[in-house]
Coordinates of all heavy atoms in Angstrom, one line a residue:
W390 N 180.4 138.3 102.7 CA 181.7 137.7 103.1 C 181.4 137.0 104.5 O 180.9 137.5 105.4 CB 182.7 138.7 103.3 CG 184.0 138.2 103.7 CD1 184.5 138.3 105.0 CD2 185.0 137.5 103.0 NE1 185.7 137.7 105.1 CE2 186.0 137.2 103.8 CE3 185.0 137.0 101.7 CZ2 187.1 136.5 103.4 CZ3 186.1 136.3 101.3 CH2 187.1 136.0 102.2
H391 N 181.9 135.8 104.6 CA 181.7 135.0 105.8 C 183.1 134.4 106.2 O 183.7 133.8 105.4 CB 180.7 133.9 105.6 CG 180.5 133.0 106.8 ND1 179.9 133.5 107.9 CD2 180.8 131.8 107.0 CE1 179.9 132.5 108.8 NE2 180.4 131.4 108.3
W392 N 183.4 134.6 107.4 CA 184.7 134.0 108.0 C 184.3 133.1 109.1 O 183.7 133.5 110.1 CB 185.6 135.1 108.4 CG 186.9 134.6 108.8 CD1 187.4 134.3 110.1 CD2 188.1 134.3 108.0 NE1 188.6 133.9 110.1 CE2 189.1 133.9 108.8 CE3 188.3 134.4 106.6 CZ2 190.3 133.5 108.3 CZ3 189.5 134.0 106.1 CH2 190.5 133.6 107.0
T393 N 184.7 131.8 109.0 CA 184.4 130.9 110.1 C 185.7 130.7 111.0 O 186.8 130.5 110.5 CB 184.1 129.5 109.5 OG1 183.0 129.7 108.6 CG2 183.8 128.5 110.6
Y394 N 185.4 130.8 112.3 CA 186.5 130.7 113.3 C 186.9 129.2 113.4 O 186.0 128.4 113.5 CB 186.2 131.3 114.6 CG 186.3 132.7 114.7 CD1 185.2 133.6 114.3 CD2 187.4 133.3 115.1 CE1 185.3 134.9 114.3 CE2 187.5 134.7 115.1 CZ 186.5 135.5 114.7 OH 186.6 136.9 114.7
H395 N 188.1 128.9 113.5 CA 188.6 127.5 113.9 C 189.9 127.7 114.6 O 190.4 128.8 114.7 CB 188.7 126.7 112.6 CG 189.5 127.2 111.6 ND1 190.9 127.1 111.6 CD2 189.2 127.9 110.4 CE1 191.4 127.7 110.5 NE2 190.4 128.2 109.8
S396 N 190.5 126.6 115.0 CA 191.7 126.6 115.8 C 192.9 127.3 115.1 O 193.7 128.0 115.7 CB 192.2 125.2 116.2 OG 192.4 124.4 115.0
G397 N 192.9 127.2 113.7 CA 194.0 127.9 113.0 C 193.9 129.4 113.0 O 194.9 130.1 113.1
Q398 N 192.6 129.9 113.0 CA 192.5 131.3 113.1 C 192.8 131.9 114.5 O 193.4 132.9 114.6 CB 191.1 131.7 112.7 CG 190.9 133.3 112.7 CD 189.6 133.7 112.2 OE1 188.7 133.0 112.1 NE2 189.5 135.0 112.0
I399 N 192.5 131.1 115.5 CA 192.9 131.5 116.9 C 194.4 131.7 117.0 O 194.9 132.6 117.5 CB 192.3 130.5 117.9 CG1 190.8 130.6 117.9 CG2 192.9 130.8 119.3 CD1 190.1 129.5 118.7
G400 N 195.1 130.7 116.4 CA 196.6 130.9 116.3 C 197.0 132.1 115.6 O 198.0 132.8 116.0
L401 N 196.3 132.4 114.4 CA 196.7 133.6 113.6 C 196.4 134.8 114.4 O 197.3 135.7 114.4 CB 195.9 133.6 112.4 CG 196.0 134.8 111.5 CD1 197.5 135.0 111.0 CD2 195.1 134.8 110.3
L402 N 195.3 134.9 115.2 CA 195.0 136.1 116.0 C 196.1 136.3 117.1 O 196.5 137.4 117.4 CB 193.6 136.0 116.5 CG 192.5 136.1 115.5 CD1 191.1 135.8 116.2 CD2 192.5 137.4 114.8
A403 N 196.5 135.2 117.7 CA 197.5 135.2 118.7 C 198.9 135.7 118.1 O 199.6 136.6 118.7 CB 197.7 133.9 119.4
L404 N 199.2 135.2 116.9 CA 200.4 135.7 116.3 C 200.3 137.2 116.0 O 201.3 138.0 116.3 CB 200.6 134.9 114.9 CG 201.7 135.4 114.0 CD1 203.1 135.2 114.7 CD2 201.7 134.7 112.7
Q405 N 199.2 137.6 115.5 CA 199.0 139.1 115.1 C 199.1 139.9 116.4 O 199.7 141.0 116.4 CB 197.7 139.3 114.4 CG 197.4 140.7 113.9 CD 196.7 141.6 114.9 OE1 196.1 141.1 115.9 NE2 196.8 142.8 114.7
A406 N 198.5 139.5 117.5 CA 198.5 140.3 118.7 C 200.0 140.4 119.3 O 200.4 141.4 119.7 CB 197.6 139.6 119.8
G407 N 200.7 139.3 119.1 CA 202.1 139.3 119.6 C 203.0 140.3 118.7 O 203.8 141.0 119.2
I408 N 202.7 140.3 117.4 CA 203.4 141.2 116.5 C 203.1 142.7 116.9 O 204.0 143.5 117.0 CB 203.1 140.9 115.0 CG1 203.7 139.6 114.7 CG2 203.6 142.0 114.1 CD1 203.3 139.1 113.3
V409 N 201.8 143.0 117.1 CA 201.4 144.3 117.4 C 202.0 144.8 118.7 O 202.6 145.9 118.9 CB 199.8 144.4 117.6 CG1 199.4 145.7 118.3 CG2 199.2 144.3 116.2
Q410 N 202.1 143.9 119.7 CA 202.7 144.2 121.0 C 204.1 144.6 120.9 O 204.6 145.6 121.4 CB 202.5 143.1 122.0 CG 203.2 143.3 123.3 CD 203.1 142.2 124.3 OE1 202.3 141.2 124.0 NE2 203.8 142.2 125.4
R411 N 204.9 143.8 120.1 CA 206.3 144.0 120.0 C 206.6 145.3 119.1 O 207.5 146.0 119.4 CB 206.9 142.8 119.4 CG 207.1 141.7 120.4 CD 207.5 140.4 119.8 NE 207.6 139.3 120.8 CZ 206.5 138.7 121.3 NH1 205.3 138.9 120.9 NH2 206.7 137.7 122.2
L412 N 205.7 145.5 118.1 CA 205.9 146.8 117.3 C 205.6 148.0 118.2 O 206.4 149.0 118.1 CB 204.9 146.8 116.1 CG 205.3 145.8 115.0 CD1 204.2 145.7 114.0 CD2 206.6 146.2 114.4
R413 N 204.6 148.0 119.0 CA 204.3 149.1 119.9 C 205.5 149.3 120.9 O 205.9 150.4 121.2 CB 203.0 148.9 120.7 CG 201.8 149.1 119.8 CD 200.6 149.4 120.6 NE 199.5 149.8 119.7 CZ 198.4 149.1 119.4 NH1 198.2 148.0 120.1 NH2 197.5 149.6 118.5
E414 N 206.0 148.2 121.5 CA 207.2 148.3 122.4 C 208.4 148.9 121.7 O 209.2 149.6 122.3 CB 207.5 146.9 122.9 CG 206.5 146.3 123.9 CD 206.7 144.9 124.2 OE1 207.7 144.2 123.6 OE2 206.0 144.3 125.0
A415 N 208.5 148.7 120.4 CA 209.6 149.2 119.6 C 209.3 150.7 119.2 O 210.2 151.3 118.5 CB 209.9 148.4 118.4
G416 N 208.2 151.2 119.5 CA 207.9 152.6 119.2 C 207.1 152.9 117.9 O 207.0 154.0 117.5
F417 N 206.7 151.8 117.2 CA 205.9 152.0 116.0 C 204.5 152.5 116.3 O 203.9 152.0 117.2 CB 205.8 150.7 115.2 CG 207.1 150.3 114.5 CD1 208.1 149.6 115.2 CD2 207.3 150.7 113.2 CE1 209.3 149.2 114.6 CE2 208.5 150.3 112.6 CZ 209.5 149.6 113.3
G418 N 204.0 153.4 115.5 CA 202.6 153.9 115.5 C 201.8 153.0 114.7 O 202.2 152.7 113.5
L419 N 200.7 152.4 115.2 CA 199.9 151.4 114.4 C 198.5 151.9 114.3 O 198.0 152.7 115.1 CB 200.0 150.1 115.2 CG 201.4 149.5 115.4 CD1 201.3 148.3 116.3 CD2 202.0 149.2 114.1
E420 N 197.8 151.4 113.3 CA 196.4 151.7 113.1 C 195.6 151.1 114.3 O 196.0 150.1 114.8 CB 195.9 151.1 111.8 CG 196.5 151.7 110.6 CD 196.0 151.0 109.3 OE1 195.4 149.9 109.4 OE2 196.2 151.6 108.2
E421 N 194.5 151.7 114.6 CA 193.7 151.2 115.7 C 192.5 150.3 115.2 O 191.8 149.7 116.0 CB 193.1 152.4 116.5 CG 194.1 153.2 117.3 CD 194.9 152.3 118.3 OE1 194.3 151.4 118.9 OE2 196.1 152.5 118.4
R422 N 192.4 150.2 113.9 CA 191.3 149.4 113.3 C 191.6 147.9 113.6 O 192.7 147.5 113.7 CB 191.1 149.6 111.8 CG 192.2 149.2 111.0 CD 191.9 149.5 109.5 NE 193.1 149.2 108.7 CZ 193.1 149.2 107.4 NH1 192.0 149.4 106.8 NH2 194.2 149.0 106.8
A423 N 190.5 147.1 113.7 CA 190.6 145.7 114.0 C 191.3 144.9 112.9 O 191.2 145.3 111.7 CB 189.2 145.1 114.2
F424 N 192.1 143.9 113.3 CA 192.8 143.1 112.3 C 191.8 142.2 111.6 O 190.8 141.7 112.2 CB 193.8 142.2 113.1 CG 194.4 141.1 112.2 CD1 195.3 141.4 111.2 CD2 194.0 139.8 112.4 CE1 195.9 140.4 110.4 CE2 194.6 138.8 111.6 CZ 195.5 139.1 110.6
A425 N 191.9 142.1 110.3 CA 191.0 141.3 109.5 C 191.9 140.5 108.5 O 192.5 141.1 107.5 CB 190.0 142.1 108.7
A426 N 192.1 139.2 108.8 CA 192.8 138.4 107.8 C 192.1 138.4 106.5 O 190.9 138.4 106.4 CB 192.9 137.0 108.4
H427 N 192.9 138.4 105.4 CA 192.3 138.5 104.1 C 193.2 137.9 103.0 O 194.4 137.8 103.2 CB 191.8 139.9 103.7 CG 193.0 140.8 103.5 ND1 193.7 141.4 104.5 CD2 193.6 141.2 102.3 CE1 194.7 142.1 104.0 NE2 194.6 142.0 102.7
L428 N 192.6 137.7 101.9 CA 193.3 137.2 100.7 C 192.7 138.0 99.6 O 191.5 137.9 99.3 CB 193.1 135.7 100.5 CG 193.7 135.1 99.3 CD1 195.2 135.2 99.2 CD2 193.3 133.6 99.2
T429 N 193.6 138.7 98.8 CA 193.1 139.5 97.7 C 193.0 138.6 96.5 O 194.0 138.0 96.1 CB 194.0 140.7 97.4 OG1 194.1 141.5 98.6 CG2 193.5 141.5 96.2
L430 N 191.8 138.4 95.9 CA 191.6 137.5 94.8 C 191.7 138.3 93.5 O 192.1 137.8 92.4 CB 190.3 136.8 94.9 CG 190.1 135.9 96.1 CD1 188.7 135.4 96.1 CD2 191.1 134.8 96.1
A431 N 191.3 139.6 93.5 CA 191.4 140.4 92.3 C 191.5 141.8 92.7 O 190.9 142.3 93.7 CB 190.1 140.2 91.4
R432 N 192.2 142.6 91.8 CA 192.3 144.1 92.1 C 192.0 144.8 90.8 O 192.3 144.3 89.7 CB 193.7 144.4 92.5 CG 194.0 143.8 93.9 CD 195.3 144.3 94.4 NE 195.0 145.6 94.9 CZ 195.9 146.4 95.5 NH1 197.1 146.0 95.6 NH2 195.6 147.6 95.9
R433 N 191.5 145.9 90.9 CA 191.2 146.8 89.8 C 190.4 146.1 88.6 O 190.8 146.2 87.5 CB 192.5 147.4 89.3 CG 193.2 148.3 90.3 CD 194.4 149.0 89.7 NE 195.0 149.7 90.8 CZ 196.3 149.7 91.0 NH1 197.1 149.0 90.3 NH2 196.8 150.4 92.0
I434 N 189.4 145.4 89.0 CA 188.6 144.8 88.0 C 187.7 145.8 87.3 O 187.3 146.8 87.9 CB 187.7 143.6 88.5 CG1 186.8 144.1 89.7 CG2 188.6 142.5 89.0 CD1 185.8 143.1 90.2
R435 N 187.4 145.7 86.1 CA 186.6 146.7 85.3 C 185.2 146.6 85.6 O 184.5 147.6 85.6 CB 186.9 146.5 83.8 CG 188.4 146.8 83.5 CD 188.5 146.8 82.0 NE 189.9 146.8 81.6 CZ 190.7 147.9 81.5 NH1 190.1 149.0 81.7 NH2 191.9 147.8 81.1
E436 N 184.6 145.4 85.8 CA 183.2 145.3 86.1 C 183.0 144.4 87.3 O 183.7 143.4 87.4 CB 182.4 144.7 84.9 CG 182.5 145.6 83.7 CD 181.7 145.0 82.5 OE1 180.9 144.1 82.7 OE2 182.1 145.4 81.4
P437 N 182.1 144.7 88.2 CA 181.8 143.8 89.4 C 181.4 142.4 88.9 O 180.8 142.2 87.9 CB 180.7 144.5 90.1 CG 180.6 145.9 89.6 CD 181.2 145.9 88.2
L438 N 181.9 141.5 89.7 CA 181.6 140.1 89.4 C 180.4 139.7 90.3 O 180.3 140.1 91.4 CB 182.7 139.2 89.7 CG 184.0 139.5 88.9 CD1 185.2 138.6 89.4 CD2 183.8 139.2 87.4
A439 N 179.5 138.8 89.8 CA 178.4 138.3 90.5 C 178.9 137.4 91.6 O 179.7 136.5 91.3 CB 177.4 137.6 89.6
P440 N 178.5 137.5 92.9 CA 179.0 136.6 93.9 C 178.5 135.2 93.6 O 177.3 135.0 93.2 CB 178.4 137.1 95.2 CG 177.3 138.1 94.8 CD 177.6 138.5 93.4
E441 N 179.3 134.2 93.8 CA 179.0 132.8 93.6 C 179.5 132.0 94.8 O 180.5 132.3 95.3 CB 179.6 132.2 92.3 CG 179.1 132.9 91.1 CD 179.8 132.2 89.8 OE1 180.2 131.1 89.9 OE2 179.8 132.9 88.8
P442 N 178.7 131.0 95.2 CA 179.1 130.2 96.4 C 180.3 129.4 96.0 O 180.5 129.0 94.8 CB 177.9 129.3 96.7 CG 177.0 129.4 95.5 CD 177.4 130.6 94.7
M443 N 181.2 129.1 96.9 CA 182.4 128.3 96.7 C 182.7 127.5 97.9 O 182.3 127.8 99.0 CB 183.5 129.2 96.3 CG 184.0 130.1 97.3 SD 185.4 131.2 96.8 CE 186.8 130.0 97.1
E444 N 183.4 126.4 97.6 CA 183.8 125.5 98.7 C 185.0 126.2 99.5 O 185.7 127.1 99.0 CB 184.4 124.2 98.2 CG 183.3 123.4 97.4 CD 182.3 122.9 98.4 OE1 182.6 122.5 99.5 OE2 181.1 122.9 98.0
A445 N 185.1 125.9 100.8 CA 186.2 126.4 101.6 C 187.5 126.0 101.0 O 187.7 124.9 100.4 CB 186.0 125.9 103.0
V446 N 188.5 126.9 101.1 CA 189.8 126.7 100.6 C 190.7 126.4 101.8 O 190.7 127.2 102.8 CB 190.3 127.9 99.8 CG1 191.8 127.7 99.4 CG2 189.4 128.2 98.6
R447 N 191.4 125.3 101.8 CA 192.4 125.0 102.9 C 193.8 124.8 102.3 O 193.9 124.2 101.2 CB 191.9 123.7 103.6 CG 190.5 123.8 104.2 CD 190.1 122.5 104.8 NE 190.9 122.3 106.0 CZ 190.5 122.3 107.2 NH1 189.2 122.5 107.4 NH2 191.3 122.0 108.2
W448 N 194.7 125.3 103.0 CA 196.1 125.0 102.6 C 197.0 125.1 103.9 O 196.7 125.7 104.9 CB 196.6 126.0 101.5 CG 196.7 127.4 102.0 CD1 197.8 128.0 102.5 CD2 195.7 128.4 101.8 NE1 197.5 129.3 102.8 CE2 196.3 129.6 102.3 CE3 194.4 128.4 101.3 CZ2 195.5 130.8 102.3 CZ3 193.7 129.6 101.3 CH2 194.3 130.8 101.8
R449 N 198.1 124.4 103.8 CA 199.1 124.3 104.9 C 199.9 125.6 104.9 O 200.4 126.0 103.9 CB 200.0 123.1 104.8 CG 200.9 122.9 106.0 CD 201.5 121.6 106.0 NE 200.6 120.5 106.1 CZ 199.9 120.2 107.3 NH1 200.2 120.9 108.4 NH2 199.1 119.2 107.3
V450 N 200.0 126.2 106.1 CA 200.8 127.4 106.3 C 202.1 127.0 107.0 O 202.0 126.4 108.1 CB 200.0 128.5 107.0 CG1 200.9 129.7 107.3 CG2 198.8 128.8 106.3
D451 N 203.2 127.3 106.4 CA 204.5 126.9 107.1 C 205.4 128.1 107.4 O 206.5 128.0 108.0 CB 205.2 125.8 106.4 CG 205.6 126.2 105.0 OD1 205.4 127.4 104.6 OD2 206.1 125.4 104.2
S452 N 204.9 129.3 107.0 CA 205.7 130.5 107.2 C 204.8 131.8 107.1 O 203.7 131.7 106.6 CB 206.9 130.6 106.3 OG 206.4 130.8 104.9
F453 N 205.3 132.9 107.5 CA 204.6 134.2 107.3 C 205.7 135.2 106.9 O 206.9 135.0 107.1 CB 203.8 134.7 108.5 CG 204.6 135.1 109.6 CD1 204.8 136.5 109.8 CD2 205.0 134.2 110.6 CE1 205.5 136.9 110.9 CE2 205.7 134.6 111.7 CZ 206.0 136.0 111.9
A454 N 205.3 136.2 106.2 CA 206.2 137.2 105.6 C 205.8 138.6 105.8 O 204.6 138.9 105.9 CB 206.4 136.9 104.1
L455 N 206.8 139.5 105.9 CA 206.6 140.9 105.8 C 206.7 141.3 104.4 O 207.8 141.1 103.8 CB 207.6 141.6 106.7 CG 207.5 143.2 106.7 CD1 206.2 143.7 107.2 CD2 208.7 143.7 107.5
V456 N 205.7 141.8 103.8 CA 205.6 142.1 102.3 C 205.4 143.6 102.1 O 204.4 144.2 102.7 CB 204.6 141.3 101.6 CG1 204.5 141.6 100.1 CG2 204.9 139.8 101.8
E457 N 206.1 144.2 101.3 CA 206.0 145.6 100.9 C 205.3 145.8 99.6 O 205.6 145.1 98.6 CB 207.3 146.3 100.8 CG 207.3 147.7 100.4 CD 208.7 148.3 100.2 OE1 209.6 147.6 99.9 OE2 208.8 149.5 100.4
S458 N 204.3 146.6 99.5 CA 203.6 146.9 98.2 C 204.4 147.9 97.5 O 204.7 149.0 98.1 CB 202.2 147.4 98.5 OG 201.6 147.8 97.3
V459 N 204.9 147.7 96.3 CA 205.7 148.6 95.6 C 204.8 149.5 94.8 O 204.1 149.2 93.8 CB 206.6 147.8 94.6 CG1 207.5 148.8 93.8 CG2 207.5 146.8 95.3
R460 N 204.7 150.7 95.3 CA 203.8 151.7 94.8 C 204.1 152.0 93.3 O 205.2 152.2 92.9 CB 203.9 153.0 95.6 CG 202.7 153.8 95.6 CD 202.7 154.9 96.6 NE 201.4 155.4 96.7 CZ 201.0 156.1 97.6 NH1 201.8 156.6 98.5 NH2 199.7 156.5 97.7
G461 N 203.0 152.1 92.5 CA 203.1 152.4 91.1 C 203.5 151.3 90.2 O 203.5 151.4 89.0
E462 N 203.9 150.1 90.8 CA 204.3 149.0 90.0 C 203.4 147.8 90.0 O 203.5 146.9 89.2 CB 205.7 148.5 90.5 CG 206.8 149.5 90.3 CD 208.2 148.9 90.7 OE1 208.3 147.7 90.8 OE2 209.1 149.7 91.0
G463 N 202.4 147.9 91.0 CA 201.5 146.8 91.1 C 202.2 145.5 91.5 O 201.8 144.4 91.1
A464 N 203.3 145.6 92.2 CA 204.1 144.5 92.6 C 204.3 144.5 94.1 O 204.1 145.5 94.8 CB 205.4 144.5 91.9
Y465 N 204.8 143.4 94.6 CA 205.1 143.2 96.0 C 206.5 142.7 96.2 O 207.0 141.9 95.4 CB 204.1 142.2 96.7 CG 202.7 142.7 96.6 CD1 201.9 142.3 95.5 CD2 202.1 143.6 97.5 CE1 200.6 142.7 95.4 CE2 200.8 144.0 97.4 CZ 200.1 143.6 96.3 OH 198.8 144.0 96.2
R466 N 207.2 143.1 97.3 CA 208.5 142.7 97.6 C 208.5 142.1 99.0 O 208.1 142.7 99.9 CB 209.5 143.9 97.5 CG 210.9 143.5 97.7 CD 211.9 144.7 97.5 NE 211.4 146.0 97.8 CZ 211.2 147.0 96.8 NH1 211.6 146.7 95.6 NH2 210.8 148.2 97.2
T467 N 209.0 140.8 99.1 CA 209.1 140.2 100.4 C 210.3 140.7 101.1 O 211.5 140.6 100.6 CB 209.2 138.7 100.2 OG1 208.0 138.2 99.6 CG2 209.3 138.0 101.6
L468 N 210.1 141.4 102.3 CA 211.2 141.9 103.0 C 211.9 141.0 104.0 O 213.1 141.0 104.2 CB 210.7 143.2 103.8 CG 210.1 144.3 102.9 CD1 209.6 145.4 103.8 CD2 211.1 144.8 101.9
A469 N 211.0 140.1 104.6 CA 211.5 139.1 105.5 C 210.5 138.0 105.6 O 209.3 138.2 105.3 CB 211.8 139.7 106.9
E470 N 211.0 136.8 105.9 CA 210.0 135.6 106.1 C 210.5 134.8 107.3 O 211.7 134.7 107.6 CB 210.1 134.8 104.8 CG 209.1 133.7 104.8 CD 208.9 133.0 103.4 OE1 209.6 133.4 102.5 OE2 208.2 132.0 103.4
W471 N 209.5 134.3 108.0 CA 209.7 133.5 109.2 C 209.0 132.2 109.2 O 207.8 132.2 108.8 CB 209.3 134.3 110.5 CG 210.0 135.6 110.7 CD1 211.2 135.7 111.4 CD2 209.7 136.8 110.2 NE1 211.5 137.0 111.4 CE2 210.6 137.7 110.6 CE3 208.6 137.3 109.3 CZ2 210.6 139.1 110.3 CZ3 208.6 138.7 109.0 CH2 209.6 139.5 109.5
P472 N 209.6 131.1 109.6 CA 208.9 129.8 109.6 C 208.0 129.7 110.8 O 208.2 130.4 111.8 CB 210.1 128.8 109.7 CG 211.1 129.6 110.4 CD 211.0 131.0 110.0
L473 N 206.9 128.9 110.6 CA 206.0 128.6 111.7 C 206.2 127.1 112.1 O 206.5 126.3 111.2 CB 204.6 128.8 111.3 CG 204.2 130.2 110.9 CD1 202.8 130.3 110.4 CD2 204.2 131.1 112.2
E474 N 206.0 126.8 113.4 CA 206.2 125.5 113.8 C 204.8 124.7 113.6 O 203.8 125.2 113.9 CB 206.5 125.4 115.3 CG 207.9 126.0 115.6 CD 208.2 126.0 117.0 OE1 207.5 125.3 117.8 OE2 209.2 126.7 117.4
G475 N 204.9 123.5 113.1 CA 203.7 122.7 112.9 C 202.6 123.3 112.1 O 201.5 123.4 112.6
G476 N 202.9 123.8 110.9 CA 201.9 124.5 110.1 C 200.5 123.9 110.2 O 200.3 122.7 110.1
E477 N 199.5 124.8 110.4 CA 198.1 124.3 110.5 C 197.5 124.2 109.1 O 197.8 124.9 108.2 CB 197.3 125.4 111.3 CG 197.6 125.4 112.7 CD 197.2 124.2 113.5 OE1 196.1 123.7 113.2 OE2 197.9 123.8 114.4
T478 N 196.6 123.3 109.0 CA 195.8 123.1 107.7 C 194.6 124.0 107.8 O 193.9 124.1 108.8 CB 195.4 121.7 107.5 OG1 196.6 120.9 107.5 CG2 194.7 121.5 106.2

């Protein structure tokens, strides 16, 4: 797995750090492990897939959301969503 840093990721890390700070100020207990942005492509596959090279994927981000994993249903529920200014590509 390879992650390339660019200006969009720096903005994402700043957003994440701000969220962590405000959650701590509100008294939430948080994990101490490092933040790792990710996108789940497959879950519960029966057989491992051979890794294959692929082109970088780019898309415009105009919001972020707080999403709850619905246990036992394999589904997700969006609890809240916030717009971002000047979405990065």
Side-chain angles (χ1 to χ4, degrees):
W390 177 256
H391 177 70
W392 185 263
T393 302
Y394 282 87
H395 57 79
S396 61
Q398 186 176 10
I399 292 168
L401 175 62
L402 293 174
L404 172 65
Q405 186 269 342
I408 291 170
V409 165
Q410 178 183 349
R411 286 171 182 79
L412 287 172
R413 286 200 171 115
E414 289 169 358
F417 285 86
L419 303 172
E420 296 179 342
E421 293 301 321
R422 66 181 171 168
F424 172 70
H427 69 280
L428 173 65
T429 302
L430 300 176
R432 296 189 77 176
R433 298 187 182 130
I434 57 173
R435 296 187 190 274
E436 296 180 23
L438 302 172
E441 294 183 24
M443 63 181 278
E444 296 295 321
V446 177
R447 298 178 69 111
W448 66 88
R449 183 166 299 282
V450 177
D451 58 8
S452 66
F453 70 98
L455 176 61
V456 179
E457 175 183 31
S458 176
V459 182
R460 205 168 197 169
E462 294 182 22
Y465 300 92
R466 179 175 32 244
T467 300
L468 302 176
E470 188 171 352
W471 297 270
L473 295 173
E474 295 179 13
E477 290 290 323
T478 302

